[in-house]
């Protein structure tokens, strides 16, 4: 297996800069890219393209935001608000991941 474990650790700290990651790991940029492609093929990492730049996304490191959501009317409230029921319809709020 390529140096994937080290690359994951280093890339998490460097926001995905392959050249810096390869330097920290003491491997070539080609080896770092090969490791990322290996992880991509196995579903360990996903890739998004934005403005012609590839970004490797490690699902376990993506920030998740939560909100209190009413299952009846769909109103959303910050988790920090001390509410158990919806102000609009009285439904019991559920904590959900934000999309």
């Amino acid at each position: 297996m390529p140096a994937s474990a080290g690359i994951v650790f280093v890339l998490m700290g460097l926001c995905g800069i392959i050249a810096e990651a390869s330097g920290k790991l003491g491997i070539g940029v080609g080896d770092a890219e090969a490791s990322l492609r290996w992880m991509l093929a196995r579903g360990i990492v996903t890739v998004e393209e934005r403005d012609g730049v590839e970004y490797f996304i490690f699902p376990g490191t993506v920030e998740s935001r939560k909100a209190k959501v009413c299952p009846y009317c769909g109103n959303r409230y910050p988790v920090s608000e001390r509410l158990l029921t919806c102000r609009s319809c009285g439904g019991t709020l559920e904590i959900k991941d934000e999309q």
Side-chain angles (χ1 to χ4, degrees):
M1 174 174 90
S4 59
I7 288 176
V8 170
F9 179 74
V10 173
L11 287 179
M12 284 170 30
L14 295 175
C15 301
I17 302 167
I18 293 176
E20 288 185 39
S22 65
K24 293 261 186 197
L25 292 168
I27 62 174
V29 172
D31 289 336
E33 289 176 348
S35 293
L36 284 168
R37 298 288 173 205
W38 182 88
M39 289 186 283
L40 183 62
R42 284 153 184 80
I44 298 168
V45 64
T46 60
V47 67
E48 288 182 13
E49 187 173 324
R50 292 181 235 145
D51 300 322
V53 177
E54 281 186 333
Y55 291 89
F56 291 91
I57 309 297
F58 295 87
T61 64
V62 176
E63 182 179 322
S64 173
R65 295 177 190 235
K66 300 200 181 281
K68 291 182 179 179
V69 181
C70 177
Y72 302 105
C73 70
N75 278 348
R76 300 176 104 59
Y77 303 94
V79 175
S80 60
E81 282 196 41
R82 302 186 86 185
L83 292 174
L84 297 176
T85 57
C86 177
R87 290 184 184 135
S88 297
C89 72
T92 301
L93 299 175
E94 300 173 353
I95 295 178
K96 303 265 183 170
D97 288 328
E98 293 267 74
Q99 301 297 340

